[in-house]
Amino acid sequence: MAAEKRNKDLLVGAVIGGVLGAVTALLFAPKSGRELRADLKEGYHQVSEKTQQIAGDVAEKSKRIVSAVSEKAQTAAESIGRTTSEVAGKAKLAAAQVGQEVKSWRSSKPENGTDDVAAAEASIAATTVEREEH
């Protein structure tokens, strides 16, 4: 955005400077009215052409910048989407495996074993940490 403002300011400055320079040079030159008008017309055409050229260059550069930024943003969004999907898949898999381990533990242990509960919790925590590291 700052580069666009800087380019616009440069364009405005070039146009104003060109017009003022041409008018000043023509007014102080010892010429007839017809020659002065012809010189003014020529100066106007030169400034007009230069302004159109600069405006075209600025428009072209702006389009390239917008295209590059859009491309990079799209690439980043796709990468973030893939990473998020992978993490979500891993989390679902880990949750399912922990659920299976809890079910298998419950089916193999008696109902009132508090020491067994603590051992199972430790085993599940160790398995979860191990899977997170991979």
Side-chain angles (χ1 to χ4, degrees):
M1 192 59 91
E4 187 176 311
K5 180 169 177 17
R6 187 173 51 231
N7 287 338
K8 183 179 177 184
D9 291 344
L10 176 66
L11 178 65
V12 170
V15 170
I16 291 173
V19 170
L20 289 177
V23 169
T24 303
L26 293 174
L27 291 176
F28 286 109
K31 296 183 179 184
S32 68
R34 179 173 285 146
E35 289 175 339
L36 181 60
R37 285 190 298 274
D39 286 348
L40 284 173
K41 186 177 180 181
E42 177 65 27
Y44 168 77
H45 286 296
Q46 288 177 353
V47 169
S48 176
E49 289 174 6
K50 188 67 174 173
T51 301
Q52 289 175 354
Q53 180 185 7
I54 291 172
D57 291 346
V58 168
E60 183 180 328
K61 287 179 183 178
S62 295
K63 286 178 185 178
R64 282 189 294 200
I65 290 170
V66 166
S67 175
V69 168
S70 175
E71 213 173 275
K72 289 184 188 252
Q74 184 177 5
T75 301
E78 289 171 357
S79 175
I80 290 170
R82 279 192 304 271
T83 303
T84 302
S85 295
E86 290 172 6
V87 169
K90 288 178 183 180
K92 286 180 183 179
L93 180 62
Q97 289 174 344
V98 168
Q100 288 296 331
E101 287 181 20
V102 168
K103 286 180 184 178
S104 68
W105 173 79
R106 280 187 181 169
S107 65
S108 67
K109 296 296 176 183
E111 291 275 328
N112 293 331
T114 56
D115 289 337
D116 290 339
V117 171
E121 287 176 348
S123 172
I124 291 171
T127 304
T128 304
V129 168
E130 182 179 303
R131 286 191 182 132
E132 288 177 354
E133 290 176 351
H134 296 296

